[in-house]
Amino acid sequence: KAGVTQTPRYLIKTRGQQVTLSCSPISGHRSVSWYQQTPGQGLQFLFEYFSETQRNKGNFPGRFSGRQFSNSRSEMNVSTLELGDSALYLCASNTGQGETQYFGPGTRLLVL
Amino acid sequence: QKEVEQDPGPLSVPEGAIVSLNCTYSNSAFQYFMWYRQYSRKGPELLMYTYSSGNKEDGRFTAQVDKSSKYISLFIRDSQPSDSATYLCAMRGGTYKYIFGTGTRLKVLA
């Protein structure tokens, strides 16, 4: 089975712009979670989508949003980028029953 | 207080040593416990998964969960330089929301 894939792998944006990241889960997985990873804060949960509905949400501002499509692929959008949004954005998928989750390689976002 | 506490290290050990990595947690509702390994500039890779209390062994890796003490451990036997990475513990209760430790950096010296 193919693993979790994320595109693009690297992005450079400037403050004020917006960005969309994409995640394709493992085939058969219906849950996709998004995380932000920074050296100072570690891995922080953004949100989780299951069957096209947001099932869980972390403590991030409304500039961070997401959605999931009927084929379980997910996108994450960050509007009005700030310098502090520079991070590795990871998505993870699981079947939806929550036994464990598998991560993609991440998208490294640099905001200048 | 953070829900999950993990010593950030770094931890340096000689090749062949037994490594002990630990996390403590405060939420008694956590039932599922995981360990991930993350190499520099890569996504986390699942190493071990345990449900509830007890031990689980997979090759050189052993995961232990002590729910009464709210303490989980990962032991690595015969450590190798290729084990040098950051190790993240993770856990969840019934909400499908995973909580991660901040990670322990491990360096195994040849």
Side-chain angles (χ1 to χ4, degrees):
Chain A
K1 260 186 188 177
V4 179
T5 58
Q6 291 186 246
T7 56
R9 294 292 312 278
Y10 303 93
L11 265 178
I12 300 176
K13 292 284 187 179
T14 55
R15 277 186 304 170
Q17 287 187 309
Q18 75 165 24
V19 66
T20 299
L21 312 181
S22 181
C23 173
S24 292
I26 291 171
S27 177
H29 284 190
R30 295 166 62 193
S31 167
V32 173
S33 296
W34 287 90
Y35 296 85
Q36 181 194 67
Q37 188 175 38
T38 57
Q41 298 296 319
L43 206 62
Q44 293 193 287
F45 174 74
L46 281 153
F47 31 66
E48 183 223 2
Y49 285 87
F50 175 72
S51 292
E52 302 179 64
T53 301
Q54 190 179 85
R55 185 162 66 173
N56 281 293
K57 190 178 186 311
N59 299 319
F60 278 79
R63 300 186 297 109
F64 293 83
S65 62
R67 60 178 176 167
Q68 188 179 33
F69 302 96
S70 58
N71 62 357
S72 295
R73 191 177 68 85
S74 178
E75 286 182 348
M76 189 192 93
N77 184 274
V78 188
S79 62
T80 320
L81 283 165
E82 300 177 0
L83 295 179
D85 297 333
S86 295
L88 179 66
Y89 289 89
L90 292 157
C91 85
S93 76
N94 70 63
T95 61
Q97 303 310 309
E99 311 83 29
T100 189
Q101 53 186 342
Y102 299 87
F103 281 86
T107 293
R108 191 163 294 278
L109 172 65
L110 178 61
V111 182
L112 301 175
Chain B
Q1 183 192 7
K2 285 186 176 179
E3 279 190 286
V4 178
E5 300 276 2
Q6 184 175 9
D7 187 332
L11 180 62
S12 290
V13 301
E15 183 176 356
I18 296 175
V19 176
S20 172
L21 304 167
N22 311 294
C23 287
T24 58
Y25 63 95
S26 57
N27 190 341
S28 57
F30 289 150
Q31 303 168 58
Y32 301 89
F33 304 91
M34 289 136 279
W35 286 95
Y36 288 84
R37 176 176 62 195
Q38 186 175 24
Y39 292 113
S40 181
R41 308 186 80 80
K42 302 282 187 185
E45 167 196 11
L46 178 67
L47 275 179
M48 301 287 284
Y49 162 74
T50 311
Y51 170 70
S52 195
S53 283
N55 295 356
K56 187 172 184 178
E57 189 173 318
D58 184 1
R60 296 185 295 112
F61 299 91
T62 299
Q64 285 186 351
V65 175
D66 181 349
K67 290 189 71 179
S68 61
S69 302
K70 298 190 179 70
Y71 189 87
I72 70 171
S73 301
L74 177 71
F75 297 96
I76 307 174
R77 290 182 298 281
D78 187 25
S79 56
Q80 303 295 309
S82 59
D83 294 327
S84 298
T86 296
Y87 290 80
L88 299 154
C89 64
M91 48 200 78
R92 76 163 187 91
T95 64
Y96 302 103
K97 187 175 172 181
Y98 296 80
I99 308 298
F100 282 79
T102 50
T104 300
R105 282 172 49 208
L106 170 67
K107 187 162 187 179
V108 181
L109 306 169

